[in-house]
Amino acid sequence: MRVEIWSDIACPWCYVGKARFEKALAGFAHRDEVEVVHRSFELDPGRAKGDVQPVLSMLTAKYGMSEAQAQAGEDNLGAQAAAEGLDYRTRDRDHGNTFDMHRLLHLAKERGRQDELIQILYRANFAEERSVFGEGDERLVELAVEAGLDGDEARAVLADPAAYADEVRADEREAAQLGANGVPFFVLDRAYGVSGAQPAEVFAQALSRAWGDRPALKILDEAAADACGPDGCQVPQDRPTAGKPQVSADI
Amino acid sequence: MRVEIWSDIACPWCYVGKARFEKALAGFAHRDEVEVVHRSFELDPGRAKGDVQPVLSMLTAKYGMSEAQAQAGEDNLGAQAAAEGLDYRTRDRDHGNTFDMHRLLHLAKERGRQDELIQILYRANFAEERSVFGEGDERLVELAVEAGLDGDEARAVLADPAAYADEVRADEREAAQLGANGVPFFVLDRAYGVSGAQPAEVFAQALSRAWGDRPALKILDEAAADACGPDGCQVPQDRPTAGKPQVSADI
């Protein structure tokens, strides 16, 4: 079974939701047969690269909240994160554009390091004092290396704005097609969707339901298969033979 | 959409079938949204590592074919391969155990190099004079490096018989559960199966059919989602609120 998770590094509920999902997955009997893929979603795609702003000042400017309201929201999110065993700095975090991080996550997917990198980016953004937005590409290269990527390769991707840009946009188009207006958004075997950082029990139920509902495979054109089995390989000149293929020995 | 291909490096029809499938995929309108995953299947799992035998002598000994029959089968397979633009040595190939290659293919999957490695292994086994079976681990390390893997990492996997062994066996169990008795076996979105090296047109039809039949997503527990969208994040203390969540601004 495959679970795709649309999320953004700048999304606190994605950080919390991932932990809740992982708790459910750890208790799922078929967890070894579940593959997790991370998909891109930007909460603030219009923000320019390098336009970095403290979270609180972004909240008050963009949504007209008072500073006390914005701080209360952060404190609440910090409490939810703590309940999942996650560090969360409720003061002095930065907000910025995450497009480059999503491009790096696509590189990491190709190199088999995606889950490592997204967890490191979340931790860097939500739990560490150093900003992931304010120090330019080298900060991201450092985090990519920590995730097991090659530093030069990560640096080259960051330096080329076109690298993996189509992949990020394709994920975002697909989120819209699937009806996701917000994140995190979990899709199980392209059959079930779960929206938001639901309690672990909801994810557990979704995993069980998606597993149980896997449809039986429909086998197309079974008759004339050129194939090899334990008793040998179908020999080419037998085709086209009506009915079941005659399996002859060839390896 | 995801296509899983069960195959064995020692399977001539897998080599030919992969080329036919790729021809169909190249002409498929949604090819950029298709992910291909290779799964393990051993045609000769009982053969010991290091038990290497010329293909013709294996065919005559195992299946009681005459040498002329065995050679005719190889010549026919060579012609089918040539029709797909593939080199195929119809003389003096070796046969042996492929378990270690499957373990390496699982490492390559984690490192994003699986398709590169399987193509290199096929070419080495079917088209090159040097044996992939007779020269021990270093020959496989060399091919792994050619596929972009780290040589030391590949060597360490080969030296540890338990590395990725469970993954290989899990693929093989899954093949049996899906009803595959031979390879290649193609599974599209876990909805459709295609058995054998079918003509490219059959793969083209299967891709179209599986694409068209993708079910609409069922969204579970939509009401109380803690999520972030372009207009901000749900604030924790709003839960549990009946009905649609009130989206408040917090990033």
Side-chain angles (χ1 to χ4, degrees):
Chain A
M1 186 159 64
R2 188 160 69 142
V3 179
E4 296 160 284
I5 310 177
W6 272 263
S7 53
D8 193 6
I9 302 302
C11 158
W13 282 123
C14 299
Y15 179 50
V16 172
K18 180 174 190 281
R20 291 179 180 170
F21 169 76
E22 285 171 351
K23 190 187 289 180
L25 185 61
F28 183 53
H30 306 284
R31 61 184 171 273
D32 292 341
E33 293 166 74
V34 175
E35 181 192 8
V36 176
V37 179
H38 297 284
R39 301 277 183 208
S40 303
F41 191 104
E42 291 167 279
L43 287 174
D44 197 357
R47 181 174 290 264
K49 178 174 173 170
D51 178 6
V52 184
Q53 190 176 9
V55 164
L56 283 200
S57 108
M58 180 276 290
L59 291 173
T60 55
K62 187 168 179 184
Y63 303 112
M65 304 171 92
S66 73
E67 197 160 315
Q69 285 173 315
Q71 188 58 62
E74 281 292 285
D75 290 342
N76 273 313
L77 280 160
Q80 297 286 327
E84 302 303 328
L86 300 169
D87 291 328
Y88 190 102
R89 297 181 75 242
T90 58
R91 303 286 186 280
D92 301 326
R93 281 200 307 113
D94 273 349
H95 180 67
N97 177 294
T98 55
F99 194 67
D100 280 354
M101 296 185 214
H102 287 296
R103 295 196 299 114
L104 269 190
L105 282 164
H106 278 276
L107 167 68
K109 177 164 180 276
E110 291 200 353
R111 299 290 171 264
R113 300 291 189 185
Q114 194 183 38
D115 196 65
E116 288 85 343
L117 182 59
I118 199 166
Q119 197 56 38
I120 284 168
L121 290 173
Y122 277 140
R123 190 209 63 211
N125 183 42
F126 290 113
E128 292 185 7
E129 190 173 344
R130 285 178 65 190
S131 174
V132 288
F133 299 106
E135 294 184 33
D137 288 356
E138 281 308 307
R139 172 69 172 137
L140 295 183
V141 170
E142 198 176 286
L143 295 168
V145 168
E146 192 183 330
L149 293 175
D150 179 79
D152 289 337
E153 190 172 38
R155 192 173 290 113
V157 164
L158 290 168
D160 173 10
Y164 298 103
D166 287 350
E167 283 81 353
V168 175
R169 294 198 185 101
D171 278 359
E172 294 179 335
R173 270 198 309 277
E174 210 161 20
Q177 284 160 6
L178 291 169
N181 303 308
V183 282
F185 190 73
F186 300 77
V187 175
L188 293 77
D189 261 354
R190 289 290 167 121
Y192 290 95
V194 178
S195 179
Q198 303 274 358
E201 303 78 53
V202 171
F203 289 119
Q205 286 160 14
L207 286 166
S208 295
R209 194 160 156 188
W211 184 267
D213 281 4
R214 305 210 300 171
L217 210 59
K218 290 172 279 295
I219 307 288
L220 304 175
D221 295 287
E222 202 173 9
D226 285 328
C228 303
D231 298 325
C233 297
Q234 172 76 355
V235 171
Q237 70 267 38
D238 290 346
R239 293 195 62 212
T241 306
K244 246 187 123 51
Q246 176 198 336
V247 174
S248 304
D250 186 291
I251 295 201
Chain B
M1 186 158 66
R2 188 159 70 142
V3 178
E4 296 160 283
I5 310 178
W6 273 263
S7 53
D8 192 6
I9 302 303
C11 159
W13 283 122
C14 300
Y15 180 48
V16 172
K18 181 174 190 281
R20 293 180 180 170
F21 170 75
E22 284 171 352
K23 190 188 285 180
L25 185 61
F28 182 53
H30 306 285
R31 61 183 171 273
D32 293 341
E33 293 166 75
V34 175
E35 181 192 8
V36 176
V37 179
H38 297 284
R39 301 279 183 206
S40 303
F41 191 103
E42 290 167 280
L43 288 175
D44 198 357
R47 182 173 290 264
K49 180 174 173 172
D51 178 5
V52 184
Q53 189 176 10
V55 164
L56 284 201
S57 108
M58 179 276 291
L59 290 173
T60 54
K62 188 167 178 184
Y63 303 113
M65 304 171 92
S66 72
E67 197 160 315
Q69 285 174 315
Q71 188 58 62
E74 280 293 284
D75 290 342
N76 273 314
L77 280 160
Q80 298 285 328
E84 303 303 328
L86 299 170
D87 291 327
Y88 190 101
R89 297 181 75 242
T90 57
R91 302 286 186 282
D92 300 326
R93 282 202 305 114
D94 271 349
H95 179 66
N97 178 293
T98 56
F99 194 66
D100 281 355
M101 296 185 213
H102 287 296
R103 295 195 299 113
L104 269 190
L105 283 164
H106 278 276
L107 167 68
K109 177 164 181 275
E110 290 200 353
R111 299 290 172 264
R113 301 290 188 184
Q114 196 185 35
D115 197 64
E116 289 86 343
L117 182 59
I118 198 166
Q119 197 56 38
I120 284 168
L121 291 173
Y122 277 141
R123 190 208 63 212
N125 184 41
F126 290 112
E128 293 184 7
E129 192 174 343
R130 284 178 65 190
S131 174
V132 289
F133 299 106
E135 297 185 30
D137 289 355
E138 279 310 305
R139 172 70 171 138
L140 295 183
V141 169
E142 200 176 285
L143 295 167
V145 168
E146 193 183 328
L149 293 175
D150 180 79
D152 289 337
E153 191 172 37
R155 192 173 290 114
V157 164
L158 290 168
D160 173 9
Y164 298 105
D166 287 349
E167 285 80 353
V168 175
R169 295 200 184 99
D171 279 357
E172 294 178 335
R173 270 198 311 276
E174 210 161 19
Q177 285 161 5
L178 291 169
N181 303 311
V183 283
F185 190 73
F186 300 77
V187 175
L188 294 77
D189 260 354
R190 290 290 167 119
Y192 291 95
V194 178
S195 178
Q198 302 275 359
E201 303 77 57
V202 171
F203 290 120
Q205 286 160 14
L207 286 166
S208 294
R209 195 160 155 189
W211 184 268
D213 280 4
R214 305 210 300 171
L217 210 60
K218 290 173 279 297
I219 307 286
L220 306 174
D221 296 286
E222 202 173 9
D226 286 328
C228 304
D231 298 325
C233 296
Q234 172 76 355
V235 171
Q237 72 267 40
D238 290 345
R239 293 193 61 211
T241 306
K244 249 187 121 47
Q246 177 198 332
V247 174
S248 303
D250 184 292
I251 294 200

